[in-house]
Amino acid sequence: MNTYIHSFQSEWLKRKRSLASWLVICGAAFTAMVIIVAKLVRHSSLAAAGVAPKYWESLWKSAWESMAIFLLPLGAILASSLITQLEYKNNSWKLLHTTPQSYGVIFLAKLSVILVMMLQFLLFFNIGIYLAGVLSGLLFGVAYPAEPIPYLHFLLKTGATYWPACR
């Protein structure tokens, strides 16, 4: 177990020096930025949308349509290729395999880094959806949406996306 923790820490440090962190941040913010720009363009309907029933659920559903179909699979593929290509880029597979750890520990550490990155991606995406729902209204002086945010609904749906057993 100690070997796995050290291997995970080294993989996490390698990730910091690549574009993987920017991929997580920019990919998670992309849909929220598109929604904010669309709301700013159609700012005349912000007040009516804020008092509509199920405002947060409709916003979340429209944001997840593009995310689940295009951005999430693309992000997972890019993150996986970035993490595994770090050793090829630096020609350090030989150095990695000389360390006293098995192939299974190396694989699990890389897989764990990818899974944690996907979890970060989903967390930042949900924060971006919240900001997209509130920020455009604040810029034009529209009141905060009347309906409370269904945190549990968002958490369960995001959990079902990350881990299908949550359904």
Side-chain angles (χ1 to χ4, degrees), residues 4-123:
Y4 168 74
I5 292 171
H6 291 301
S7 182
F8 180 81
Q9 288 173 341
S10 68
E11 293 297 326
W12 193 255
L13 285 174
K14 287 185 228 176
R15 177 208 55 93
K16 280 183 157 182
R17 296 185 184 180
S18 70
L19 290 175
S21 298
W22 288 106
L23 174 73
V24 168
I25 294 169
C26 293
F30 180 75
T31 303
M33 293 303 292
V34 169
I35 291 172
I36 289 172
V37 169
K39 285 185 174 210
L40 292 178
V41 169
R42 293 188 229 127
H43 60 85
S44 60
S45 65
L46 282 176
V51 296
K54 301 202 182 224
Y55 169 75
W56 291 108
E57 289 181 24
S58 65
L59 177 68
W60 192 83
K61 184 178 178 184
S62 67
W64 268 98
E65 286 174 354
S66 64
M67 178 60 68
I69 292 171
F70 179 67
L71 292 175
L72 190 62
L74 183 66
I77 291 167
L78 287 175
S80 299
S81 65
L82 276 172
I83 296 300
T84 56
Q85 290 295 322
L86 288 175
E87 275 78 17
Y88 284 114
K89 180 178 70 173
N90 298 330
N91 199 17
S92 59
W93 274 109
K94 296 172 193 170
L95 292 172
L96 180 67
H97 290 309
T98 59
T99 59
Q101 53 189 351
S102 67
Y103 292 136
V105 170
I106 295 169
F107 174 78
L108 284 177
K110 287 186 180 295
L111 178 65
S112 299
V113 167
I114 292 169
L115 291 175
V116 169
M117 285 175 50
M118 287 298 115
L119 191 61
Q120 284 180 331
F121 181 82
L122 293 172
L123 176 71

